[in-house]
Amino acid sequence: RKKTTEGVKADETAFQKTLNETLDQQLEFETMSLVGKANIRLPESGLKVNANYRINMISDSLIWMRVSVILGVEVLRVLITPDSAYFMDKTQKIVTISDLSPISGYIGFDASIKMLQDVLVGNLVLLAEKDELSPASKGDNFVYESTVAGNELAYQIDPRQAKLVSLEAQNSLKDLHSQIYYNDFTNLL
């Protein structure tokens, strides 16, 4: 894996200030709707899919996701509650119902609906203690890296907005790699 922090070592004061401001500015909501596009690549199968998604959430209670591909054909529905996950694969006509343990197993640590919602809206979810993070500069942004439960995590934060702009997770043992970019932020205040 190419190291994310190919930049200059971040100034400790600026690092702490940006991290604290980002944590203080977490997005809180009662209900939320997200619409967007995702590029999904599954290297083990060679599958590459451009998909559209719609996510509706009720804070700490519900995540309802619909994923569609070309011409709006819906391929997947997901419903996550605090104790259950329901997956409806519309291409294979298969419904899977489970607790959150498959999600926890996939990501390598305990998943909660709160954590999943925070990741979806771009809130900073620290899985390591603040003093365990390794800061560096990358362009105008700060990158904070840590390793938790075999997962190498890299949080890239824009210090001008105190906002997470990307989250990268890699688990070499499980051959898993995920990266989420957060952009097009508008301050409504």
Side-chain angles (χ1 to χ4, degrees):
R1 170 183 164 191
K2 182 180 169 188
K3 268 308 239 187
T4 304
T5 55
E6 293 179 345
V8 180
K9 185 82 171 155
D11 173 81
E12 285 296 319
T13 305
F15 161 72
Q16 286 300 329
K17 180 179 181 247
T18 298
L19 188 61
N20 290 332
E21 285 177 0
T22 304
L23 289 168
D24 289 342
Q25 294 184 38
Q26 301 282 46
L27 177 64
E28 294 182 21
F29 63 91
E30 288 183 31
T31 62
M32 168 87 57
S33 290
L34 304 170
V35 178
K37 297 180 183 285
N39 299 315
I40 303 166
R41 286 174 280 188
L42 302 172
E44 65 276 2
S45 67
L47 180 67
K48 292 181 182 181
V49 178
N50 293 323
N52 297 312
Y53 62 83
R54 179 174 189 87
I55 302 171
N56 296 308
M57 297 186 286
I58 300 173
S59 182
D60 299 329
S61 300
L62 177 87
I63 300 171
W64 173 250
M65 184 182 327
R66 290 171 286 180
V67 179
S68 59
V69 291
I70 300 170
L71 300 174
V73 175
E74 189 176 33
V75 294
L76 179 68
R77 286 189 185 185
V78 179
L79 174 65
I80 300 173
T81 65
D83 61 357
S84 303
Y86 304 82
F87 300 92
M88 181 189 303
D89 179 339
K90 296 191 86 175
T91 60
Q92 302 293 319
K93 298 182 181 175
I94 297 172
V95 175
T96 304
I97 302 170
S98 71
D99 58 15
L100 299 183
S101 63
I103 297 170
S104 297
Y106 181 79
I107 61 177
F109 35 84
D110 288 338
S112 71
I113 195 161
K114 171 78 172 127
M115 180 191 68
L116 295 172
Q117 287 178 334
D118 281 342
V119 167
L120 289 171
V121 300
N123 283 340
L124 181 58
V125 177
L126 292 180
L127 299 170
E129 297 299 319
K130 285 197 262 185
D131 62 350
E132 295 175 3
L133 297 172
S134 301
S137 295
K138 183 176 182 184
D140 292 335
N141 297 331
F142 289 153
V143 177
Y144 308 89
E145 292 187 334
S146 67
T147 301
V148 177
N151 294 290
E152 296 172 31
L153 303 167
Y155 308 90
Q156 191 170 154
I157 296 175
D158 181 343
R160 297 163 298 187
Q161 298 181 58
K163 187 68 183 152
L164 185 66
V165 293
S166 78
L167 169 61
E168 182 176 7
Q170 180 162 336
N171 187 318
S172 300
L173 296 175
K174 293 183 178 181
D175 196 26
L176 299 175
H177 180 252
S178 300
Q179 191 160 11
I180 301 172
Y181 296 96
Y182 305 97
N183 54 23
D184 297 330
F185 293 112
T186 303
N187 189 349
L188 301 175
L189 300 176

